Amino acid sequence: MSDTFVTASPHWTWFIIPYFFVGGIAGGAYFLAAVLEWFGRPEDRPVIRTGYSLAFWGAVLSGLLLTLDLGRSLRFLNMLFQSDNFPHLMFKSFSPISFGAWALLLFGACAFVSWYAETGGTPAKLIAAVGGLLGFFVAGYTGVLLSVTNRPIWADSPWLGALFLASGASTGAAAIALFAPGRGATERSLRWVTTFDARALIVELLLLIVFLVSLGTVAKAWLSVWGLLLIVGVVGAGILWPLRLHLKPAGAGALRNPAVMVLLGGFLLRCVVLLASNSIEYHRVASVVAR
Amino acid sequence: MPEAMGFFTDTTICIGCKACEVACKNWNQLPATNGGVSELSGDSYDNTRKLDGTHWRHVKFIEQFEGPYNGRWLMMSDVIDMNPAAGTAQKCTLCYDRMQVGLEPACAKACPTDSIQFGPIAELRTRAQKRVDQLKAQGEKRARLYGDDPNGPLGGLNSFYLLVDEPEVYGLPRDPKLPSRNLKSSGVLSAATGAVLGLVALVGLRKRRMDEIGGGGERGSEN
Ligand code: SF4
Ligand code: SF4
């Protein structure tokens, strides 16, 4: 039995699940916008704008969810400043939470500037470069954070950060594909986004398999309703089905829209990874060992 | 350097009176209830429902304590918990405030059977080993120390235990590790994934351009 089973689950509330989801979308969407900012062409502007606004509003929502999760909201200042030493910054390089708090703040600032400034040009490109990297960081660090605990499943594999990053990319692309048409995106820009989305889904699927294999005997912990949801919801509805829809569009309706299904799958991924581990109570584990 | 201090907890003589929990709560002004529900178990003679950051704080707490006034702690397990009154996470302080004025920790002071002992680590180790030998001589062959070995996991824990069953039964990890062990590998794999996805995005753009040139696209020269 892995030692991670005799630990207690963290005191997070459900706010953390939508945060992981929204943070991933915001980071992924910004990254794609940044790539187009550098290497795209004028006709891609609507897609870029969509990416920036998803990133900005996503960052705002993320901050809100995280602050609410604290229970005592003003305490979020303690993540950024040393309370006894006020203007001094609180930053711990070994802590993904500390890193993440700063990355989210700086990412939000980049997203705001990119979203607010209408036009491209060199300054926009520079901001996009910084924000794009921060975006991927925001999308992926949440998985790293889970691995840097002593909890079952999360701490039993080093692949969770990579998996969340890929999911951030696929859901970010899906969100753009969903909203960009309303902002006047051209067929050609959109095709690049959806092609990227399909490839990101393949990367995500491979990483998910590697992640499950890397768990070794701990993979048994998935023998629960969350494991079922992982197979049916995340892999089936959220990866394989949209991949098939990419190859063979099936007409109108939310369930036939690959972007909607990818977003659903991304949300379920965060749910099952969080809940599969959180549902393991060490008191129960201890009593099983005792018998 | 001052002598390293620590805890030795002999679980075989704990009578489950919970005086340590009450003492800890009392000294640290922690609430006895959470949402109106009492958290001290009163329905059995076994120990407790929960040993954590708002009860008997040090029990599930592995610390490296470098002398009485210079604490460096490693947390694990159920040690940190929410204080329902303050709404913040709290953990065992080793009664730092008491130690500064030469008092032993509240939990150790309160324990009527001396199940919890506080003192210089070297001395506690000797005492603990004697107790194991005594128990073995009496026929309790499973008696063992947990976390006492300076060459063991995490270089020995300055809060160690005498157990008579598998560590998991006590809710203790067999081979405690630092959570940060995963930081580097996770970070590197994530960065690599980011690079792969960036490449995927760029290859897509390049293909779009090539297709247009190949297909005689009228906008092929634009980029
Ligand atoms: S040392 Fe003090 S704070 Fe820690 S468990 Fe004992 S009484 Fe509680
Ligand atoms: S005070 Fe001593 S005997 Fe009573 S429950 Fe605590 S450790 Fe056991």
Side-chain angles (χ1 to χ4, degrees):
Chain A
M1 189 179 77
S2 167
D3 272 342
T4 52
F5 283 91
V6 292
T7 56
S9 52
H11 293 271
W12 294 330
T13 60
W14 61 268
F15 290 120
I16 212 73
I17 296 179
Y19 163 59
F20 280 14
F21 176 60
V22 172
I25 295 178
Y30 193 105
F31 179 81
L32 290 181
V35 168
L36 288 180
E37 182 80 74
W38 276 81
F39 305 106
R41 45 172 80 140
E43 72 164 303
D44 293 326
R45 190 50 52 186
V47 167
I48 299 178
R49 305 280 316 143
T50 313
Y52 287 156
S53 78
L54 280 167
F56 172 61
W57 292 112
V60 170
L61 189 57
S62 297
L64 215 63
L65 287 165
L66 275 183
T67 325
L68 288 175
D69 182 69
L70 289 177
R72 287 174 62 179
S73 302
L74 271 181
R75 287 268 167 158
F76 84 91
L77 283 173
N78 295 18
M79 292 301 298
L80 304 172
F81 299 101
Q82 301 176 10
S83 49
D84 289 342
N85 224 343
F86 179 63
H88 286 257
L89 301 183
M90 173 65 90
F91 177 71
K92 300 207 154 114
S93 60
F94 58 85
S95 158
I97 292 193
S98 180
F99 239 111
W102 278 106
L104 184 61
L105 192 74
L106 297 177
F107 172 70
C110 288
F112 173 74
V113 175
S114 302
W115 168 78
Y116 191 76
E118 280 289 321
T119 47
T122 314
K125 276 191 177 169
L126 290 180
I127 300 237
V130 178
L133 292 177
L134 284 170
F136 258 179
F137 186 91
V138 166
Y141 93 92
T142 48
V144 176
L145 182 157
L146 291 181
S147 290
V148 184
T149 62
N150 264 329
R151 286 296 291 158
I153 298 176
W154 308 341
D156 291 308
S157 165
W159 287 96
L160 211 45
L163 178 62
F164 277 18
L165 185 77
S167 170
S170 71
T171 49
I176 292 182
L178 203 58
F179 292 110
R183 293 172 161 250
T186 64
E187 187 71 21
R188 219 172 356 203
S189 300
L190 279 175
R191 202 176 318 125
W192 175 74
V193 174
T194 50
T195 311
F196 173 84
D197 200 13
R199 291 182 182 150
L201 281 179
I202 295 172
V203 173
E204 188 181 338
L205 181 62
L206 293 176
L207 286 171
L208 184 61
I209 294 169
V210 172
F211 164 66
L212 291 177
V213 170
S214 72
L215 288 175
T217 54
V218 177
K220 276 206 300 266
W222 281 107
L223 293 176
S224 67
V225 59
W226 307 117
L228 190 69
L229 205 54
L230 178 74
I231 301 292
V232 178
V234 178
V235 178
I239 298 181
L240 295 179
W241 176 234
L243 274 178
R244 199 194 125 86
L245 289 174
H246 274 302
L247 293 176
K248 230 174 137 190
L255 292 180
R256 299 206 178 89
N257 185 340
V260 173
M261 298 313 287
V262 169
L263 287 171
L264 178 74
F267 183 69
L268 289 178
L269 175 70
R270 307 309 196 286
C271 289
V272 299
V273 168
L274 263 290
L275 297 174
S277 176
N278 264 4
S279 62
I280 297 168
E281 266 278 359
Y282 87 94
H283 302 280
R284 186 159 49 90
V285 173
S287 67
V288 170
V289 178
R291 245 183 272 132
Chain B
M1 194 180 111
E3 201 172 5
M5 306 290 274
F7 282 106
F8 164 50
T9 304
D10 182 348
T11 62
T12 59
I13 50 173
C14 169
I15 53 171
C17 67
K18 298 157 198 82
C20 50
E21 290 180 69
V22 175
C24 179
K25 279 181 175 292
N26 200 345
W27 182 262
N28 294 294
Q29 300 180 335
L30 296 164
T33 55
N34 187 355
V37 182
S38 168
E39 290 190 305
L40 299 170
S41 69
D43 48 12
S44 80
Y45 291 110
D46 96 355
N47 199 339
T48 58
R49 286 188 192 136
K50 207 162 181 255
L51 298 172
D52 59 30
T54 51
H55 294 81
W56 189 28
R57 294 165 152 205
H58 92 251
V59 173
K60 305 289 287 299
F61 194 80
I62 295 181
E63 60 277 304
Q64 290 187 342
F65 196 51
E66 299 175 326
Y69 307 119
N70 173 17
R72 181 159 70 88
W73 302 295
L74 305 171
M75 74 86 186
M76 50 164 303
S77 197
D78 212 359
V79 173
I80 294 189
D81 205 353
M82 294 299 284
N83 175 342
T88 57
Q90 300 187 339
K91 63 178 180 172
C92 172
T93 62
L94 289 175
C95 281
Y96 183 65
D97 47 351
R98 288 175 62 94
M99 245 182 275
Q100 275 175 317
V101 293
L103 293 171
E104 69 174 315
C107 53
K109 178 84 193 160
C111 181
T113 63
D114 261 347
S115 173
I116 311 173
Q117 300 179 20
F118 183 79
I121 278 289
E123 197 185 310
L124 290 179
R125 280 194 183 125
T126 327
R127 210 181 300 162
Q129 194 50 53
K130 263 198 211 130
R131 172 74 180 144
V132 170
D133 297 342
Q134 182 192 29
L135 282 169
K136 285 204 166 135
Q138 289 171 359
E140 182 47 275
K141 296 284 180 245
R142 293 172 306 173
R144 64 166 96 179
L145 295 179
Y146 173 90
D148 67 311
D149 184 359
N151 305 314
L154 304 183
L157 315 171
N158 283 12
S159 175
F160 63 98
Y161 305 84
L162 193 161
L163 310 178
V164 287
D165 208 332
E166 301 299 320
E168 287 91 341
V169 176
Y170 298 84
L172 294 166
R174 184 169 295 271
D175 177 22
K177 292 186 210 72
L178 291 181
S180 52
R181 70 188 181 281
N182 287 325
L183 186 55
K184 207 165 150 198
S185 50
S186 288
V188 169
L189 292 173
S190 304
T193 304
V196 168
L197 288 166
L199 217 61
V200 168
L202 291 179
V203 167
L205 278 182
R206 186 171 164 75
K207 179 150 190 313
R208 176 168 83 170
R209 199 156 66 222
M210 297 319 268
D211 282 354
E212 280 163 15
I213 295 170
E218 68 284 5
R219 309 186 61 153
S221 58
E222 205 173 280
N223 241 306

